[in-house]
Amino acid sequence: MSALIGRSMAGFAENVPFYQQRLSEVWLGLLNVLSGHGLLLNSEQLADKADVPALMGFIANALNHLVSVFTGTFFILLALVFILAEMSLVQRKISAISAQPDRSLAKLNYFLSTLNQYFAVKTVISIVTGLLVYFGLKLLAIDYPILWALLAFLLNFIPTVGSLVAAIPAILMAVIQYGFGTALWVALLYLLINNIVGGFIEPRVMGQRLGLSVLVVFLSLVVWGWLLGPVGMFLSVPLTITAKIALESNASTAWLGIALGNTSELGEPEAG
């Protein structure tokens, strides 16, 4: 992934002057259209205020941050090696610490199984989303479709807003290349993919496994994102699942775990 993004960034850097010129032309064209309809009186003054190089610099910085995320993958994998080496001792430690080792191990297995199911299903859904974005943008001849597909794959792990944010760079690229007509088609492509994958397939596959309400998923995104930044957004659902299982394991806090769940855990309402 780092190599693919690196090649895309190299191509993007080479074409920055062309993109700056195209963005200026699109901006001036939009201002002229609005002025022709009497919506803007001084289009030249507004055109002078448009800082196109700053916008292109912002895009380049965003791509650099994306590369830095993949650079940190090495340290994540290194930590994973130590975690896996330690896992062989977990059962013995729980047996030595817990007064009810069988019950504690059953809870741990349930927790690990839930997270495994979440990451497996979410990864498959994200791959499907990335592939659909790639082939759709390739069909529309948008530059760097692999880059936008990888971005869609990654941001799909962020619930609610991730898919919307992933569409912005591709739409902007379509505006720069071809204008607002093609950008509308790109927006419709992302909207169609999000409705099919995110609105139809994912809730039916994921909802049964997570046991979290939609409101709780959104609030967890806000809370963990505020506490941990972008990493918290990626891990908001697993962290909330962890909290839910921990609350349900204690009789005095079980009601909080139920409050975090969805309606499938409540059963049928009583008559009257």
Side-chain angles (χ1 to χ4, degrees), residues 44-96:
E44 294 182 358
Q45 184 178 359
L46 289 175
D48 293 336
K49 294 181 180 180
D51 196 351
V52 175
L55 177 60
M56 301 305 295
F58 170 77
I59 297 174
N61 288 332
L63 294 177
N64 285 328
H65 285 300
L66 188 60
V67 171
S68 66
V69 171
F70 288 105
T71 304
T73 302
F74 169 77
F75 298 99
I76 296 175
L77 294 176
L78 186 62
L80 182 61
V81 170
F82 288 102
I83 292 173
L84 292 176
E86 188 75 13
M87 285 299 295
S88 60
L89 302 176
V90 170
Q91 184 173 355
R92 293 169 56 187
K93 289 182 178 181
I94 291 179
S95 299

Side-chain angles (χ1 to χ4, degrees), residues 133-170:
V133 167
Y134 171 77
F135 288 115
L137 296 180
K138 192 76 173 177
L139 184 64
L140 294 172
I142 304 299
D143 287 348
Y144 317 117
I146 293 180
L147 179 61
W148 313 134
L150 286 174
L151 191 62
F153 166 77
L154 287 174
L155 293 182
N156 195 58
F157 283 90
I158 299 179
T160 309
V161 299
S163 299
L164 298 178
V165 175
I168 295 176

